[in-house]
Amino acid sequence: AYLAGIAFRPFINNLYWNFNGFDQGSHYSTTVTKTTLFNGITGSFLLTASGYLLPILISTGATDLEQDEWKEGAFAVAGTEIGGRWLGNWIVVSSGISLLAQFFSEMSADSMAVQGLADRGQIPAVFSHRSRFDTPTYALLLDLLVILLLLPLPFGIIIELSNFSFCISVTIEFLAFAQIRIRHGDCTMIRKVLYSIMLIAPLLFNIAVLLLASYASCIYGACMTVFGVLLINAKRIDSACCSRYR
């Protein structure tokens, strides 16, 4: 759907993708102090916000790039136009290093989430195995397998599939928060009302992203949900089979 020349499906997906992974900091909460976690979240927010805002403001104010010219490599073109070829090349190199760092950080956070589920006994214990460097070996391999399966797809499709999965997971997190803090919490009624109001906007945004998704994304989400349910119940199924044949 287009409105004022804007294709809303890729626009909403790209907008949401920029917020994707904001809850990853909780995966490190048991390995660092509260002060370090707070400083890390605050610093990353400021760094990420300035990393998006400043280049856009400078590029749109100092160049004559039209809207249809903003595509892959537009910042490098703007840098070359503003500061010369060296600046454009530096933007390309720094972008590559940044993407590599994001890949490693995402892999680390996701593997720690899988390891945490295994440590709590919610998925097979094999994913809690650690190497001699204290890294979750099989959890990392599982994350790498998912990434390799997505590599052949166009980048826009990957963003949409990532957002679809993230919407489902964040919605579950919000519902868990409502269950713990609102329904069974011991806080005052005013705080419960404030919590409820606070959840309305992100839940509505999640619903909008899910409704804008393509049929392929819905099929992908259903397959991932089934896979997750099977993975969570794998230990129970294995125990039932073992008890039958004893």
Side-chain angles (χ1 to χ4, degrees):
Y2 284 83
L3 183 62
I6 300 175
F8 263 83
R9 178 183 290 175
F11 173 73
I12 294 296
N13 275 304
N14 280 278
L15 181 65
Y16 192 84
W17 185 66
N18 289 306
F19 295 98
N20 199 321
F22 70 88
D23 59 339
Q24 301 280 26
S26 61
H27 301 161
Y28 301 97
S29 59
T30 59
T31 60
V32 297
T33 63
K34 290 184 178 180
T35 303
T36 302
L37 183 63
F38 175 80
N39 292 337
I41 292 176
T42 304
S44 62
F45 172 78
L46 296 175
L47 182 63
T48 303
S50 60
Y52 276 107
L53 188 60
L54 292 178
I56 291 175
L57 291 177
I58 295 172
S59 299
T60 54
T63 65
D64 297 324
L65 290 175
E66 299 295 334
Q67 182 176 354
D68 57 353
E69 295 177 317
W70 282 95
K71 55 187 69 175
E72 293 88 347
F75 280 121
V77 174
T80 303
E81 185 177 332
I82 295 171
R85 191 168 183 176
W86 71 270
L87 183 58
N89 292 336
W90 175 251
I91 290 175
V92 173
V93 173
S94 61
S95 298
I97 296 174
S98 175
L99 289 173
L100 189 62
Q102 290 182 46
F103 172 77
F104 285 129
S105 63
E106 182 74 20
M107 285 282 290
S108 300
D110 291 343
S111 62
M112 290 184 71
V114 175
Q115 175 190 299
L117 290 172
D119 289 341
R120 293 173 61 88
Q122 295 176 324
I123 60 176
V126 65
F127 294 108
S128 65
H129 177 269
R130 294 171 174 82
S131 68
R132 61 191 180 92
F133 302 105
D134 202 30
T135 54
T137 306
Y138 297 111
L140 281 169
L141 290 176
L142 177 64
D143 293 339
L144 183 60
L145 175 62
V146 173
I147 292 173
L148 292 176
L149 292 175
L150 294 176
L151 274 180
L153 300 177
F155 185 63
I157 301 298
I158 293 176
I159 289 178
E160 185 173 325
L161 296 179
S162 174
N163 286 345
F164 197 93
S165 302
F166 191 67
C167 277
I168 295 175
S169 65
V170 170
T171 301
I172 293 174
E173 290 178 15
F174 288 155
L175 294 177
F177 176 84
Q179 181 80 359
I180 295 172
R181 293 293 186 182
I182 300 175
R183 186 174 180 181
H184 297 295
D186 56 356
C187 55
T188 62
M189 181 58 65
I190 295 177
R191 178 164 291 187
K192 290 183 178 181
V193 172
L194 291 176
Y195 284 154
S196 302
I197 295 173
M198 182 181 66
L199 292 176
I200 292 175
L203 284 174
L204 290 177
F205 196 74
N206 283 352
I207 293 173
V209 174
L210 294 176
L211 291 177
L212 287 171
S214 62
Y215 291 117
S217 296
C218 294
I219 295 173
Y220 164 83
C223 293
M224 289 295 100
T225 302
V226 171
F227 174 74
V229 172
L230 291 176
L231 191 63
I232 290 174
N233 290 278
K235 293 185 67 174
R236 187 181 306 171
I237 296 173
D238 182 63
S239 300
C241 293
C242 291
S243 63
R244 172 184 289 185
Y245 294 104
R246 279 178 182 173

